[in-house]
Amino acid sequence: MEPHPNAASMLRRSITPSPPPLLSLSTRMLSPSPPSPSSSAAAPSSESKLPFSSRNPKSSFPHFPLFSNAHSLQSMTLSKCFSHSGPANPIPISGTPEPESAHSLVVVSFYKFADFPDHALMRNPLKQLCEKLRVSGGIILAPEGINGSICGTREAVEEVLAFVQSDDRLKGLRRLESPVSPEEEAIHSGQHGHSASSPLAAGEDAPFRWDHVRVKLKKEIVTLGMPAVSPIEKVGKYVSPKEWNDLISDPDTVVIDVRNNYETRIGKFKGAVDPCTTSFREFPSWVEERFQINRTDAEHPKVNVNNAAEDAEKEMENPKQHLPRIAMYCTGGIRCEKASSLLLSNGFKEVYHLEGGILKYLEEVPETQSLWEGECFVFDKRVSVEHGLVQGNFKLCYGCKQPVSDVDMEAPEYEYGVSCPYCFALKSDEEKERARARQQQFERWGIIGGPDKGRRPAARESDSASRKPNQLSRSV
């Protein structure tokens, strides 16, 4: 790595030529350092050749670059220069500002479908490890696997992921990396990983705040409500971002956005079909209605062994069986795995989905070649991202957890922390009052519920003495 010019100029201004210790320090600080290794664990997929032209048949799952601009690179260089991993008492350099963080942060989203019936045993040790390493975010454990999004230093995040993959069933996590802006990194560093002002994020896949970690136990890592649908048994074919444009540009391909309406509202691929669902649970019903599929027949097909040839001929004549080629996409890929398994169970033969989801597409495909329109909703404080995973322009309504634009926030229905044009009419006056009370608590104390939240109020002696015997017995 070449010496960073900003770091070099700062050192020239601040270091005096006389004391030898400072000279040796400047030599060490300006010397090139080898890049830190980063591991990438991607689950191997048995992919077949696609029926359309492919300029890049290799469908790998590389790491995203951690640093997206020169400012981040400068922070990285200074962080390495002023790291406390060297002498116990480093020599201070006058005029040099303190680094924002000793280590740069990274956000990693990951998931793995697996047969994981004893998932509850991992919850406590995983949560304790995240708290010890100050890794924040949200993780879901379920009998069908693991799903999470976490934020922390690279070393800490890698340690958490290594712990997860120490269980052989969870090896080969599918993972996506996103950079952290210098502003967010400064907040994280200033609060030692616990920012009291971090707002709640939204979404059913990985709801979390960046100031603490949640490890939840659920029935599914992504809720479809159909236990018979198992991506462990069968799943559609993965398509790399570089192959995606060719696939969805084919007029014989039906492109389906598997996300919910509050996500599709701010961005989607050109020509994609929007199911207009409010939750992933509604997707199976939409598929049945759109493609005229009978769920019972699809799950329990009747097979006539004696007249197999006749049944095959009738199947070819049945218009319901002439199902189109499907290309699906979602934010990070996890919902598409379940959705593709659902379609395959319903008789679809050609089912493809975007590997790594929209996030990987926006990372790898240049904007000049992109077929993406708008911004992509994400389940963390960024709310939305654009090409290059740069933070978008949308904010979050904490009344309904939906993205809102600057125009939405100018509407009379918008009230910070209470409502927006999309939820104002759906909320009762009582619900709005409760939301206002929560927002006031948050603004006053930094947490909802106030400083005494979770504490049992001390019982007063006068109250205890005035209790009647029958009231005491009922309470016991």
Side-chain angles (χ1 to χ4, degrees):
M1 180 185 296
E2 293 294 328
H4 197 281
N6 293 340
S9 61
M10 291 171 61
L11 292 171
R12 284 196 296 268
R13 288 195 301 268
S14 59
I15 298 178
T16 56
S18 52
L22 291 181
L23 289 176
S24 62
L25 179 60
S26 65
T27 303
R28 183 172 67 254
M29 292 171 68
L30 295 178
S31 61
S33 58
S36 59
S38 62
S39 60
S40 175
S45 59
S46 55
E47 301 178 15
S48 59
K49 292 184 178 180
L50 303 178
F52 51 92
S53 61
S54 175
R55 295 185 295 272
N56 182 19
K58 183 178 180 182
S59 182
S60 60
F61 213 70
H63 267 307
F64 288 153
L66 179 59
F67 305 101
S68 58
N69 51 45
H71 191 285
S72 299
L73 182 59
Q74 177 182 354
S75 300
M76 179 193 69
T77 307
L78 291 176
S79 299
K80 286 189 175 182
C81 291
F82 295 99
S83 173
H84 295 294
S85 60
N89 298 308
I91 301 174
I93 301 177
S94 60
T96 303
E98 287 292 326
E100 291 181 343
S101 175
H103 301 281
S104 295
L105 301 178
V106 62
V107 174
V108 176
S109 300
F110 60 93
Y111 71 89
K112 176 68 183 293
F113 284 98
D115 186 12
F116 199 31
D118 55 342
H119 60 285
L121 298 178
M122 181 177 278
R123 182 182 184 274
N124 287 337
L126 180 57
K127 182 176 177 64
Q128 291 169 5
L129 178 63
C130 290
E131 291 175 345
K132 175 185 175 183
L133 299 175
R134 289 177 177 166
V135 169
S136 54
I139 302 173
I140 296 173
L141 300 171
E144 65 176 8
I146 187 171
N147 176 26
S149 292
I150 56 177
C151 176
T153 64
R154 176 170 293 281
E155 294 83 356
V157 168
E158 293 295 345
E159 186 171 343
V160 170
L161 297 181
F163 172 79
V164 170
Q165 295 182 100
S166 65
D167 190 308
D168 291 339
R169 296 166 294 182
L170 301 179
K171 286 186 181 299
L173 292 172
R174 291 198 171 273
R175 52 184 284 176
L176 294 168
E177 283 191 18
S178 300
V180 177
S181 67
E183 293 78 15
E184 292 293 348
E185 188 165 339
I187 293 175
H188 191 284
S189 303
Q191 300 291 340
H192 303 288
H194 298 274
S195 172
S197 61
S198 299
L200 291 170
E204 62 180 9
D205 287 351
F208 67 93
R209 285 163 55 176
W210 279 15
D211 62 334
H212 74 302
V213 66
R214 290 181 179 178
V215 182
K216 293 186 176 182
L217 302 179
K218 290 191 174 184
K219 295 180 180 179
E220 301 175 75
I221 58 175
V222 54
T223 305
L224 184 64
M226 298 184 66
V229 175
S230 174
I232 303 173
E233 299 177 4
K234 53 186 173 182
V235 71
K237 297 180 178 67
Y238 297 102
V239 181
S240 70
K242 293 181 180 179
E243 299 170 319
W244 183 250
N245 285 357
D246 290 338
L247 174 60
I248 66 175
S249 298
D250 190 323
D252 293 330
T253 301
V254 176
V255 186
I256 301 177
D257 194 320
V258 186
R259 302 172 303 154
N260 299 319
N261 55 6
Y262 60 87
E263 300 169 86
T264 59
R265 173 165 51 81
I266 69 172
K268 63 187 184 73
F269 278 104
K270 185 177 181 179
V273 177
D274 182 3
C276 299
T277 56
T278 58
S279 72
F280 193 39
R281 284 178 173 270
E282 299 175 7
F283 186 73
S285 299
W286 177 84
V287 170
E288 292 175 25
E289 182 179 352
R290 170 69 184 243
F291 299 101
Q292 298 298 304
I293 295 174
N294 186 297
R295 182 185 297 183
T296 304
D297 292 343
E299 293 178 350
H300 307 285
K302 297 179 181 180
V303 179
N304 189 341
V305 179
N306 298 326
N307 300 311
E310 182 181 348
D311 290 344
E313 184 178 351
K314 289 181 178 180
E315 181 177 336
M316 294 298 295
E317 294 175 355
N318 188 350
K320 293 181 181 180
Q321 298 303 322
H322 293 287
L323 299 172
R325 177 196 301 154
I326 299 295
M328 298 184 298
Y329 66 89
C330 56
T331 307
I334 184 171
R335 278 178 282 189
C336 283
E337 292 216 26
K338 267 204 169 178
S340 68
S341 183
L342 170 70
L343 264 60
L344 290 172
S345 301
N346 282 317
F348 287 80
K349 304 302 180 184
E350 292 186 83
V351 181
Y352 302 92
H353 49 114
L354 178 59
E355 186 177 27
I358 305 166
L359 295 180
K360 190 176 182 185
Y361 182 91
L362 295 179
E363 169 70 19
E364 294 191 355
V365 177
E367 188 172 2
T368 55
Q369 303 174 16
S370 175
L371 297 180
W372 175 261
E373 300 174 335
E375 299 182 14
C376 176
F377 180 82
V378 291
F379 302 99
D380 56 50
K381 276 186 63 181
R382 295 170 297 174
V383 183
S384 67
V385 294
E386 299 176 328
H387 282 86
L389 301 183
V390 177
Q391 184 168 342
N393 301 304
F394 284 84
K395 302 300 184 293
L396 201 66
C397 169
Y398 300 114
C400 62
K401 309 300 188 292
Q402 293 195 30
V404 289
S405 65
D406 291 339
V407 176
D408 295 329
M409 289 187 287
E410 294 296 329
E413 296 87 356
Y414 180 79
E415 183 179 352
Y416 184 79
V418 179
S419 65
C420 72
Y422 303 102
C423 66
F424 181 84
L426 303 176
K427 290 181 173 292
S428 65
D429 293 339
E430 183 180 352
E431 289 174 324
K432 293 172 186 174
E433 284 300 324
R434 287 200 301 266
R436 291 187 185 98
R438 287 194 299 269
Q439 182 61 30
Q440 290 173 358
Q441 293 170 357
F442 188 81
E443 291 175 356
R444 182 174 180 181
W445 291 298
I447 59 173
I448 296 174
D452 294 327
K453 180 182 179 181
R455 299 178 184 177
R456 180 177 296 179
R460 294 180 298 179
E461 293 183 3
S462 57
D463 293 342
S464 302
S466 62
R467 270 189 179 180
K468 295 182 180 180
N470 59 345
Q471 291 177 329
L472 182 60
S473 63
R474 283 198 300 267
S475 64
V476 174

